[in-house]
Amino acid sequence: MSSRDRILGRIRRAVADGAPDPAIPRDYLPVHGTRAPAETADLLAAHLSEYRAKVHRTDEDGLAPLLMRLLAERGARTVLVPPGLPPNWLAGADATRVHDRAASTLYELDAVDSVVTGCALAIAETGTIVLDGGPGQGRRRITLIPDHHICVVRVPDQVVDSVPQALPLLDPTRPLTWISGPSATSDIELDRVEGVHGPRTLEVVLLTGPAE
């Protein structure tokens, strides 16, 4: 008998009596404090900045010029585009569009300079962006392999205060990616290295106004 079989056998014996699962207490605070929507957006921006993400603010009229400028400052010659990204977002960008294709290899994705996506929602108290693979976000790998990710968050529609507020709004059957700042890790001596597990540079655009 293998170690795996022994472990699974113990689990089966432990649950064999059919007893109901123990109740999980849910008496924690769903949110810490009361905030106006503008204050929630400010908190999100502050926490994203603490995680070394670059935060920008604009409205619908300023979005296309802002994205054009960010890509130009990055020197991006190519930009990866999810299938459902609004076409007007990149209307002024000079970078060549690269479409999110299932057939794309890791080497092809690694050669892309930037990726622009929307998001499912953002959490202010933790400075977290959540992606769920929706049409404006594309497959998970397109936001993990390119070195530069620009993510657009609609304010206030896509911003919540806390994780307990976020979870009921997310579909657990979708491929959820939780992002708090650019990819980073540290060794035992706390030397920080960025870009190991995802983009080295994360730029978040807080877009005011409702979706069109």
Side-chain angles (χ1 to χ4, degrees), residues 63-76:
L63 180 59
L66 173 61
L67 293 178
M68 178 178 64
R69 176 173 64 81
L70 296 180
L71 292 170
E73 289 175 352
R74 180 76 181 184

Side-chain angles (χ1 to χ4, degrees), residues 144-169:
L144 295 178
I145 299 175
D147 207 39
H148 178 225
H149 180 193
I150 302 175
C151 184
V152 178
V153 181
R154 290 193 177 276
V155 178
D157 295 355
Q158 291 184 314
V159 183
V160 298
D161 284 286
S162 65
V163 172
Q165 289 181 339
L167 289 175
L169 303 177

Side-chain angles (χ1 to χ4, degrees), residues 3 15 44 57 61 77 157 159 207:
S3 297
V15 300
L44 172 65
R57 298 180 189 245
D61 293 336
R77 294 165 297 174
D157 295 355
V159 183
L207 176 62

Side-chain angles (χ1 to χ4, degrees), residues 115 142-149 179 181-184 194-202:
V115 57
I142 74 169
T143 57
L144 295 178
I145 299 175
D147 207 39
H148 178 225
H149 180 193
I179 303 171
S183 167
E194 297 181 350
V196 177
H197 310 295
R200 195 184 315 271
T201 303
L202 173 66

Side-chain angles (χ1 to χ4, degrees), residues 14-166:
V15 300
D17 58 1
D21 294 333
I24 300 175
R26 304 287 186 183
D27 54 353
Y28 47 76
L29 291 175
V31 63
H32 299 85
T34 302
R35 305 180 190 90
E39 293 173 321
T40 300
D42 289 342
L43 182 63
L44 172 65
H47 285 163
L48 286 167
S49 297
E50 288 176 5
Y51 290 138
R52 302 192 187 184
K54 300 177 181 179
V55 181
H56 312 273
R57 298 180 189 245
T58 189
D59 57 16
E60 288 285 352
D61 293 336
L63 180 59
L66 173 61
L67 293 178
M68 178 178 64
R69 176 173 64 81
L70 296 180
L71 292 170
E73 289 175 352
R74 180 76 181 184
R77 294 165 297 174
T78 55
V79 56
L80 215 162
V81 181
L85 197 77
N88 61 300
W89 285 14
L90 295 175
D94 294 328
T96 300
R97 277 57 158 181
V98 177
H99 297 291
D100 176 16
R101 300 183 300 113
S104 296
T105 67
L106 300 181
Y107 298 102
E108 289 172 335
L109 293 176
D110 188 47
V112 173
D113 295 318
S114 301
V115 57
V116 176
T117 74
C119 72
L121 53 77
I123 306 170
E125 288 185 353
T126 59
T128 303
I129 306 297
V130 184
L131 309 179
D132 68 359
Q137 302 159 54
R139 276 175 276 267
R140 173 182 285 165
R141 64 182 187 157
I142 74 169
T143 57
L144 295 178
I145 299 175
D147 207 39
H148 178 225
H149 180 193
I150 302 175
C151 184
V152 178
V153 181
R154 290 193 177 276
V155 178
D157 295 355
Q158 291 184 314
V159 183
V160 298
D161 284 286
S162 65
V163 172
Q165 289 181 339

